[in-house]
Amino acid sequence: MPTIETQSRYAKLKQKQRQQQHNLEWSKYYQDKIYLQNKKYYKQMHPLCEDCLKQDIIKSGEHVHHIRPFSEGQTEEQKFALLRDITNMIHLCKECHKNRHKERGDGMYKFTHHTSK
Protein backbone atom coordinates (compact mmCIF):
# COMPACT_ATOMS: atom_id res chain seq x y z
CA MET A 1 0.00 0.00 0.00
CA PRO A 2 1.47 3.40 -0.97
CA THR A 3 2.44 5.71 1.79
CA ILE A 4 1.15 9.25 1.99
CA GLU A 5 4.58 10.48 0.93
CA THR A 6 4.47 8.32 -2.24
CA GLN A 7 0.99 9.54 -3.07
CA SER A 8 2.15 13.09 -2.57
CA ARG A 9 5.06 12.61 -4.99
CA TYR A 10 2.72 10.98 -7.50
CA ALA A 11 0.25 13.86 -7.21
CA LYS A 12 3.07 16.36 -7.73
CA LEU A 13 4.26 14.48 -10.81
CA LYS A 14 0.74 14.41 -12.29
CA GLN A 15 0.36 18.12 -11.52
CA LYS A 16 3.65 18.87 -13.29
CA GLN A 17 2.61 16.79 -16.30
CA ARG A 18 -0.74 18.62 -16.57
CA GLN A 19 1.07 21.96 -16.27
CA GLN A 20 3.52 21.02 -19.04
CA GLN A 21 0.69 19.85 -21.31
CA HIS A 22 -1.19 23.08 -20.67
CA ASN A 23 1.92 25.12 -21.47
CA LEU A 24 2.44 23.26 -24.75
CA GLU A 25 -1.18 23.69 -25.82
CA TRP A 26 -1.32 27.40 -25.01
CA SER A 27 2.21 28.55 -25.88
CA LYS A 28 1.17 29.67 -29.38
CA TYR A 29 -1.20 32.13 -27.74
CA TYR A 30 1.03 33.34 -24.92
CA GLN A 31 3.97 33.86 -27.29
CA ASP A 32 1.93 35.86 -29.83
CA LYS A 33 3.82 39.08 -30.63
CA ILE A 34 0.74 41.32 -30.70
CA TYR A 35 -0.47 39.92 -27.38
CA LEU A 36 2.95 40.44 -25.79
CA GLN A 37 3.05 44.06 -27.03
CA ASN A 38 -0.48 44.76 -25.79
CA LYS A 39 0.25 43.08 -22.46
CA LYS A 40 3.39 45.18 -21.99
CA TYR A 41 1.50 48.37 -22.85
CA TYR A 42 -1.36 47.47 -20.51
CA LYS A 43 1.00 46.77 -17.62
CA GLN A 44 2.69 50.15 -18.17
CA MET A 45 -0.67 51.93 -18.16
CA HIS A 46 -1.96 50.00 -15.12
CA PRO A 47 1.07 49.16 -12.91
CA LEU A 48 -0.99 48.42 -9.78
CA CYS A 49 -3.32 45.55 -8.97
CA GLU A 50 -6.72 46.75 -10.11
CA ASP A 51 -8.69 44.56 -7.68
CA CYS A 52 -6.61 45.74 -4.71
CA LEU A 53 -7.11 49.37 -5.78
CA LYS A 54 -10.88 48.88 -5.50
CA GLN A 55 -10.27 48.12 -1.82
CA ASP A 56 -7.89 51.11 -1.41
CA ILE A 57 -4.88 48.80 -1.24
CA ILE A 58 -1.75 49.83 -3.14
CA LYS A 59 -0.04 46.74 -4.51
CA SER A 60 1.94 46.08 -7.69
CA GLY A 61 0.29 44.09 -10.41
CA GLU A 62 2.08 40.91 -11.46
CA HIS A 63 -0.26 39.14 -13.89
CA VAL A 64 -2.40 40.29 -16.79
CA HIS A 65 -5.70 38.44 -16.54
CA HIS A 66 -8.25 38.05 -19.31
CA ILE A 67 -11.69 39.10 -18.07
CA ARG A 68 -13.34 36.91 -20.69
CA PRO A 69 -11.17 33.82 -21.25
CA PHE A 70 -9.76 33.77 -24.76
CA SER A 71 -10.39 30.02 -24.78
CA GLU A 72 -14.09 30.88 -25.21
CA GLY A 73 -13.38 31.83 -28.81
CA GLN A 74 -14.96 29.36 -31.21
CA THR A 75 -12.30 29.85 -33.88
CA GLU A 76 -8.59 30.64 -33.79
CA GLU A 77 -9.42 34.14 -35.03
CA GLN A 78 -11.85 34.70 -32.17
CA LYS A 79 -9.38 33.32 -29.62
CA PHE A 80 -6.63 35.64 -30.81
CA ALA A 81 -9.07 38.58 -30.82
CA LEU A 82 -9.95 37.96 -27.16
CA LEU A 83 -6.32 37.35 -26.27
CA ARG A 84 -5.09 40.60 -27.82
CA ASP A 85 -7.99 42.84 -26.76
CA ILE A 86 -6.72 45.41 -24.25
CA THR A 87 -10.27 46.04 -23.03
CA ASN A 88 -10.39 42.36 -22.03
CA MET A 89 -7.35 42.68 -19.73
CA ILE A 90 -6.92 43.50 -16.07
CA HIS A 91 -3.62 43.72 -14.16
CA LEU A 92 -3.66 41.81 -10.87
CA CYS A 93 -1.35 40.79 -8.06
CA LYS A 94 -0.69 37.08 -7.67
CA GLU A 95 -3.31 36.62 -4.95
CA CYS A 96 -6.07 38.45 -6.82
CA HIS A 97 -5.23 36.56 -10.02
CA LYS A 98 -5.48 33.27 -8.15
CA ASN A 99 -8.81 34.38 -6.66
CA ARG A 100 -10.21 35.29 -10.08
CA HIS A 101 -9.40 31.82 -11.40
CA LYS A 102 -10.68 30.18 -8.23
CA GLU A 103 -14.01 31.99 -8.63
CA ARG A 104 -14.20 30.90 -12.25
CA GLY A 105 -12.89 27.40 -11.53
CA ASP A 106 -10.45 27.39 -14.43
CA GLY A 107 -6.97 28.25 -15.59
CA MET A 108 -3.83 27.62 -13.60
CA TYR A 109 -5.83 27.39 -10.38
CA LYS A 110 -6.93 23.88 -11.31
CA PHE A 111 -3.32 22.78 -11.72
CA THR A 112 -2.14 24.15 -8.40
CA HIS A 113 -5.09 23.09 -6.25
CA HIS A 114 -7.02 20.22 -7.84
CA THR A 115 -4.46 17.45 -8.04
CA SER A 116 -6.91 14.57 -7.67
CA LYS A 117 -7.91 14.62 -11.35
Side-chain angles (χ1 to χ4, degrees):
M1 179 171 218
T3 65
I4 292 175
E5 183 179 329
T6 303
Q7 291 172 342
S8 176
R9 277 189 268 146
Y10 177 76
K12 288 179 183 178
L13 176 63
K14 294 304 283 181
Q15 175 185 339
K16 186 175 181 179
Q17 288 172 340
R18 284 192 300 272
Q19 173 100 36
Q20 288 171 338
Q21 183 62 32
H22 176 271
N23 291 346
L24 282 173
E25 291 172 6
W26 295 100
S27 65
K28 70 179 176 181
Y29 299 106
Y30 294 125
Q31 297 305 315
D32 178 68
K33 288 181 182 180
I34 297 170
Y35 163 66
L36 292 173
Q37 289 172 348
N38 288 354
K39 176 181 164 182
K40 182 179 179 180
Y41 172 77
Y42 192 86
K43 287 170 90 171
Q44 289 172 343
M45 298 305 295
H46 304 272
L48 302 175
C49 174
E50 296 178 68
D51 280 356
C52 286
L53 277 177
K54 291 176 186 173
Q55 301 171 45
D56 295 323
I57 299 169
I58 306 296
K59 194 169 183 183
S60 293
E62 299 177 56
H63 302 268
V64 171
H65 175 73
H66 289 89
I67 299 164
R68 181 173 171 213
F70 63 90
S71 59
E72 288 182 3
Q74 298 297 311
T75 65
E76 288 293 295
E77 186 176 295
Q78 291 172 345
K79 287 179 183 177
F80 276 106
L82 285 170
L83 175 79
R84 297 167 175 168
D85 183 2
I86 289 177
T87 64
N88 189 37
M89 296 178 185
I90 187 168
H91 200 192
L92 303 171
C93 67
K94 185 176 181 178
E95 293 79 20
C96 289
H97 191 216
K98 181 177 128 184
N99 289 338
R100 288 275 184 131
H101 281 284
K102 184 177 179 180
E103 289 168 7
R104 212 162 58 189
D106 70 354
M108 296 312 296
Y109 178 77
K110 68 183 176 186
F111 295 112
T112 57
H113 297 282
H114 298 158
T115 57
S116 61
K117 289 184 179 179

